[in-house]
Every structure is written in C-alpha cells, then in structure tokens.
Amino acid sequence: MRVAIAGAGNVGRSIAQELIDNGHQVMLIERQPKMLRPDRVPAADWVLADACELSSLEEANIAGCDVVVAATGDDKTNLVLSLLAKTEFAVPRVVARVNRAENEWLFTDQWGVDVAVSKPRVMAALVEEAVTVGDLVRLMTFRQGEANLVEITLPPTAPYVGQPIHAVPLPRDSALVAILRGKRVLVPSPDDPIEAGDELIFVCTAEVEDEVRAVILGPDSVERTRSSR
C-alpha cells in the first residue's frame, strides 16, 4: 500500500514509522526545510513541498497513492489537502488530523475527509483497516490491562467461513466482541455463522495475537504476514 503523509512533525513521523513497520510504502511531505529530517524515518520517501499546492501534489504523484493522511498541525492545511486529494486526484481514502476540537464539524466528506481522527496510532489503524483483508490489524492498545483491540476482515478462503462461532477454537486470553457486517454491528452469539467480508473485532493480549491470526486465517497466515514485511 502506498501512503502519503503531509506533515513531518511528531504525529506524521509516528504514523509513518507505524505504517512502515507494517510493511507499507510511505511518503512524507513537509514544506518547512528545518523539519525535513530523513534520518528520523529513513525508510520513508521524503519530499520538500507545500501539500496545498496542486503542482506539488502532482509532482509527488498523489494520484498513485492508496491513502493520503493530512497530519499537519494546521487544520486549514489539512482540510485543503483533503479536498484536493479527493476531488483532484481521486485518492480512495483520506484520513485527516483534527487539531482543534471546535473545527471537527468541518472534517466531513464535503471536504474530502473519509475519517477525521487525532491520535497517530488510531490514524495508522484506520488506514490499514480500510484496505486490509486477510490480516490482523491492531486498532487500539489498552496498556493498563495489556490487552489490544484487533480487527480481521475475513477473506473467502478463511477456514471457518460459513461455520458457527462456537466452532472456532480461539486461544485463551482472546474474545470475539463484535462483528461488523456491512452497515450492521452484530453482538456475537455461539450459533451465529461468520461470513466472508465480516470484520471480526477481538480483544486479546499481544502474546496471543499470532494464535488468533492462525486460527481465523489459517496456520500459514503468520509466516505469510511476516515474509511480506
């Protein structure tokens, strides 16, 4: 997946590193020369440009990105970039950072924003969740309880597609807490079947994430994921 991130401050760099660690190609766009620090995230492509300038976005080939993340510290810049990315370059997914709560009402699809968020980890998770099928995506960490909220979107080849939940042998310290099916949110019950395309939301400890992935996606999915990164 190719992701462009505008804003190379702490937030932008955090998102970039998170996505790079998960195997994605990232371009960081920054307009201030003093903020251009490739040594901070050496695996990213760094571009010195104004993300609000149409010509700069064309030169950076924004149209070739799967996702654009507007992560600057200025809400006006984030809104302009979101609008340009969606309307001029037809970027499939636009994620925008909201810096001031009073501006949140502006961050809608009318401005090209698909998702408006603020924290780097949540932004990275939303980017991945939107385009990832057949892998485990960590959405949130509950650090005090050492548990994670994770999501898996079921491909048609998943071993338990069509079978009831009670037939799925989940490991200890894991629980299926919700199923997102289309626009519906389902509370799982043991006799409910799981279907291809379902987004399964689990709470589990970090230690059993690979076991959850192996059960839901097949025993070779862990190695497949590692080899692709």
Side-chain angles (χ1 to χ4, degrees), residues 70-91:
T72 79
D74 183 77
D75 285 344
K76 295 188 294 296
T77 297
N78 292 343
L79 284 170
V80 170
L81 171 59
S82 298
L83 187 63
L84 290 175
K86 186 64 72 175
T87 60
E88 297 294 329
F89 299 99
V91 174

Side-chain angles (χ1 to χ4, degrees), residues 142-213:
F142 307 102
R143 298 201 180 278
Q144 290 184 339
E146 297 184 352
N148 298 321
L149 188 70
V150 302
E151 181 265 0
I152 298 176
T153 300
L154 285 184
T157 55
Y160 290 97
V161 167
Q163 298 193 40
I165 291 170
H166 67 74
V168 182
L170 289 175
R172 286 185 58 187
D173 300 323
S174 66
L176 177 62
V177 296
I179 300 174
L180 308 184
R181 184 173 294 159
K183 295 183 178 181
R184 300 177 62 199
V185 178
L186 307 177
V187 178
S189 65
D191 294 324
D192 289 338
I194 56 176
E195 300 177 2
D198 280 355
E199 294 181 53
L200 305 183
I201 309 297
F202 298 88
V203 174
C204 64
T205 60
E207 289 76 15
V208 302
E209 281 185 0
D210 281 349
E211 293 179 56
V212 171
R213 180 191 281 113

Side-chain angles (χ1 to χ4, degrees), residues 50-174:
D50 187 340
C52 292
E53 290 288 340
L54 200 60
S55 58
S56 297
L57 297 177
E58 287 176 345
E59 190 172 339
N61 189 26
I62 289 294
C65 292
D66 302 290
V67 184
V68 165
V69 182
T72 79
D74 183 77
D75 285 344
K76 295 188 294 296
T77 297
N78 292 343
L79 284 170
V80 170
L81 171 59
S82 298
L83 187 63
L84 290 175
K86 186 64 72 175
T87 60
E88 297 294 329
F89 299 99
V91 174
R93 185 78 163 179
V94 177
V95 180
R97 173 189 179 187
V98 183
N99 295 279
R100 299 179 65 87
E102 62 266 30
N103 294 331
E104 190 171 355
W105 65 276
L106 288 166
F107 286 75
T108 66
D109 57 357
Q110 291 183 329
W111 277 93
V113 178
D114 294 305
V115 180
V117 286
S118 59
K119 294 191 176 182
R121 183 64 194 96
V122 176
M123 294 178 81
L126 285 167
V127 169
E128 288 194 285
E129 184 271 337
V131 296
T132 303
V133 175
D135 196 9
L136 181 147
V137 177
R138 186 180 295 172
L139 301 176
M140 188 177 297
T141 299
F142 307 102
R143 298 201 180 278
Q144 290 184 339
E146 297 184 352
N148 298 321
L149 188 70
V150 302
E151 181 265 0
I152 298 176
T153 300
L154 285 184
T157 55
Y160 290 97
V161 167
Q163 298 193 40
I165 291 170
H166 67 74
V168 182
L170 289 175
R172 286 185 58 187
D173 300 323
S174 66

